[in-house]
Amino acid sequence: MSDWHGRLREAGLDPQGVENLVRAALAEDGEVDVTSSPIFAPEDTASGDFRAREDGVVAGVPVAAVVFEVLGVQHAAKVSDGDRVTAGQVLLSVSGATRAVLRAERTALNLMTHLSGIATETRRWVDAVEGTNAKIRDTRKTLPGLRALQKYAVRCGGGVNHRMGLHDAALIKDNHVAAAGSVTRAFEAIRRIYPALHVQVECDTLDQVDEAIAAG
């Protein structure tokens, strides 16, 4: 999987993390496909295309590729993540043992459709503010285990990641202000421990905006 590992790295994704996620998703289906195994012989082969059902922005092609790689299915990408696509357009072509193709199909589709949905919705907002200096940012409200992929999909749609977790940027909210006593005290408490950390403040009033600016 070296080629796709490289593409995942270029996308800012951890290849081993994506592979672990894919293997966990495939394991959810169990060890045997009790529908396909009695019907298709081990030597049976199949091929097919993954097509877009509606216009949108693609995300998750290299992630889907990992699914096919793990199961030994040949695959060829016809588009790149971040591309705008139209209904009916071919995104991926696959071929291989029928049992493997059918086993890979749903997991690959689940990942691609979910990520493409995020990318498409993000692009709608990005298009809406085109020509301004506004940036569309995401949040930490992600599904457990999928944060890196969901935030990657935001980037595919032209958005900007806010923070990846609680470790890489500080976000002072109303509960922090209440505990510290004021915006200034909360800000200063963080600055004492993390002098170079990026800090943002959620303000409920214009007075808090003034206070945050005055605090630096």
Side-chain angles (χ1 to χ4, degrees), residues 112-173:
M112 275 188 58
T113 54
H114 180 64
L115 299 180
S116 295
I118 293 172
T120 299
E121 186 63 21
T122 302
R123 176 57 66 181
R124 290 195 182 105
W125 285 89
V126 170
D127 288 346
V129 298
E130 186 176 5
T132 73
N133 290 323
K135 303 292 184 183
I136 302 302
R137 292 182 176 269
D138 54 23
T139 73
R140 286 174 49 248
K141 299 178 179 72
T142 55
L143 294 175
L146 289 179
R147 179 172 298 171
L149 290 183
Q150 290 180 316
K151 283 181 169 284
Y152 166 67
V154 168
R155 298 196 299 273
C156 289
V160 178
N161 294 150
H162 180 209
R163 57 177 178 164
M164 296 304 293
L166 295 174
H167 63 283
D168 58 338
L171 178 60
I172 298 173
K173 301 183 180 181

Side-chain angles (χ1 to χ4, degrees), residues 166-188:
L166 295 174
H167 63 283
D168 58 338
L171 178 60
I172 298 173
K173 301 183 180 181
D174 52 1
N175 53 334
H176 302 117
V177 173
S182 70
V183 169
T184 301
R185 288 179 182 175
F187 180 81
E188 290 176 345

